[in-house]
Amino acid sequence: MPVIEARDVNFAYTDKTVLNNISVSIHEGEIVTLLGPNGSGKSTLLKLFMGLIRPKSGLVCLNGRDVAAFPQKELAREIAYVPQVHKSAFPYTVLDIILMGRMPHKTFFFRYSRDDMRIARSAMEKLSIAHLSGRPYTEISGGERQLTLIARALAQGPRVFVMDEPASGLDYGNQLRLLEQITVLSKEGYTFIKSTHSPEHALWIADRAVMIRGGEIIADGHCGNVVNSEMLFRLYDTKVKIVKLNGSLRVCIPEAFHPGPGCGPAVYDLPDTNAEGPTGAPTAKRQKQLQVMR
Amino acid sequence: MKTGLVIGSLAAGLLLAVLVSLMLGKYPVGVGDICSFFLWKLLNTRVNLSVDREVLENILLNIRLPRIVAAMFVGASLSISGASFQAMFINPLVSPGILGVLAGASFGAALAMVFSKSWFVVQSSCFVFGFIAVMTSMGVARLYRGNTVLLLILGGVISGALFTSLLSIVKYLADPYNQLPAIVYWLMGGLTLVDGNTLRNAAVPVLAGIALIVSLSGYLNVLSMGDEEARAMGVPVERVRFILIAVATMLSAVTVVLAGMVGWVGLIIPHMARMIVGPDNRVLVPVSALIGALYLVLVDDISRLAFTTEIPLGIITSLVGIPFFAAVLKRADRGWS
């Protein structure tokens, strides 16, 4: 049985259709990446999964049960939301922020218990941020803030994590560390559904990519199969070459740019035979450029 | 623990301030007499007083104590609603008047002053219009089918402006010899008109309101992360926010009933509290209430005693609040997030 499932979901804000007959099912332990241009409906789909908005027609199910039928707290114990890195208006300590994750386990009038403290601390330890416990959330780095938000989601005790562009706002190193952290957690059986603007993030850690354009799923499958230059061109209207390095890691190389003089000489050029997709062979113009660079 | 120490010393400071305020006045009363008087009053023990018991009873119980208690109520209420609004609206520069409660309550009081001689009618109208103004701003927010923070604030701007202009109409229509000065003095804020009866009526809503906000203060942390996150953490955002706004509105309206317009307290006291105990609302809210109560007792002493005639309380809170605000603005330069 899928953990999360959308069946023929339609959604519209007032009269503007955002999602059109979306069906997708996600299984336990999967890392699913949503790819799509701005305004394609990625965030809307994530909000539907979270039960934050209701579909106009169709059904969103969590563990086989309609999300709308879940009491809010119960839903929050099953599925957690990791927002984009943000700045809090108030300098709460990292511990205060993580304790908020215990809300779905509390009664209306509540106090945090010793158990809540223990759970919050173990979430911090899992992400190796225990040393930040007393630091103000406003004064730690973006990467540390993202880890804090993940720890808060862990403290909620769910099996499913929904992340809306988790890497945006993070520097290059923190993006990579975030991806690593997601892989580690997914090995423990957690399910991740995340949206991203970087196809490489899908290639690197996701099992599955779901591509959305204009409110419709145009591809859904194993990343190695669907994240290719043809599909990326359909998604983003730009030519991208995907190259396999050392036989495993794949990277995207945009073809729209010609390297400027500041780039210096190429360190090495990739053999074109490894390039995938229909745009494999470099154009005559491009070959000339490569010669100039050499 | 640090929090316990802060709360303990603030409570002790408040008690001391109350005692000192009981002593101060045109007719000075010694600390010994005050203690003996209350021992007699509460425990019925035999005591020796250096002044006539009747006089003492009149000064302490009928004149000074109601005023001091009213000052504590007003200070605590304004600070606690300020702290809640700041968290709910995710902005440390918000004050209790954000949804128009103060404008509405002022209009209600002024309206009743023009059309009625009864003090009770004035107070009721003041209280009721405070609520009407907040309902107006929430209604405006709902009109655009949203309970979002931004829409609520825009609703508050509209509602506040509406009731401020209505207040101007009332002032313009008021009899310029008796009613207009009464309205103007009322709006300057002061505790001169407080009596035991009003205080008894105010005590239950004020104490219950404070207790309710303190017990729900854990939600303020989550609400200040934004609606979507709060909802994703299982918080029934609309319901909790509605309760908190209703209670904070009630508290603010009561302060106008008791003391007219007392500005800046609800804005600066939560700031002061945040500097001392940090932003965690579970601690910040009760500490704000204590500091607010202490602050207003002290300011009211100044207002009573600094000059031969009394200066309206609201003028002093503004004169103290503005420079303080200017000083903290540097630290709180973050806007809407």
Side-chain angles (χ1 to χ4, degrees), chain A residues 209-234:
Chain A
V210 174
M211 296 180 163
I212 304 180
R213 177 162 185 143
E216 292 180 32
I217 293 184
I218 59 166
D220 176 1
H222 192 271
C223 289
N225 299 330
V226 295
V227 183
N228 55 40
S229 25
E230 185 197 352
M231 290 313 295
L232 290 181
F233 185 77
R234 278 181 66 188

Side-chain angles (χ1 to χ4, degrees), chain A residues 72 86 91-92 104 108 112 152, chain B residues 219 224 229 231 279 281-282:
Chain A
Q72 206 177 4
H86 52 54
Y92 297 121
F108 191 71
Y112 293 121
R152 186 182 72 184
Chain B
Y219 286 98
S224 72
E229 276 183 67
R231 219 167 281 140
N281 287 290
R282 292 171 299 147

Side-chain angles (χ1 to χ4, degrees), chain A residues 47 50 52 72-73 76 81 83 86-87 89-92 96-97 100-101 103-104 107-110 112 152 156, chain B residues 86-87 90 92 215-216 218-219 221-222 224-225 228-229 231-236 243 274 279-282 334:
Chain A
K47 282 180 194 165
M50 296 293 307
L52 292 174
Q72 206 177 4
K73 274 188 186 169
Y81 177 61
H86 52 54
K87 274 207 150 186
F90 300 103
Y92 297 121
D96 285 341
I97 299 259
M100 292 177 191
M103 292 299 289
T107 51
F108 191 71
F109 292 100
F110 71 96
Y112 293 121
R152 186 182 72 184
Q156 270 177 250
Chain B
Q86 288 177 2
I90 322 180
S215 56
L216 293 178
Y219 286 98
N221 287 4
V222 187
S224 72
M225 304 305 288
E228 215 147 71
E229 276 183 67
R231 219 167 281 140
M233 281 183 271
V235 174
I243 295 172
R274 211 170 280 125
D280 181 3
N281 287 290
R282 292 171 299 147
R334 248 170 261 121

Side-chain angles (χ1 to χ4, degrees), chain B residues 67-68 70-71 74 189-195 258-259 296 300 310 313:
Chain B
R67 223 182 138 139
I68 293 168
V74 172
L191 291 164
T192 34
L193 297 171
V194 167
D195 56 90
L258 287 173
L296 225 67
D300 190 48
E310 192 172 322
L313 187 63

Side-chain angles (χ1 to χ4, degrees), chain A residues 198-200 203-204 227 232 240-243 250-254:
Chain A
S198 165
E200 286 179 339
L203 287 168
W204 294 346
V227 183
L232 290 181
V240 178
K241 198 189 291 183
I242 292 178
V243 177
R250 288 161 211 249
V251 292
C252 297
I253 297 176

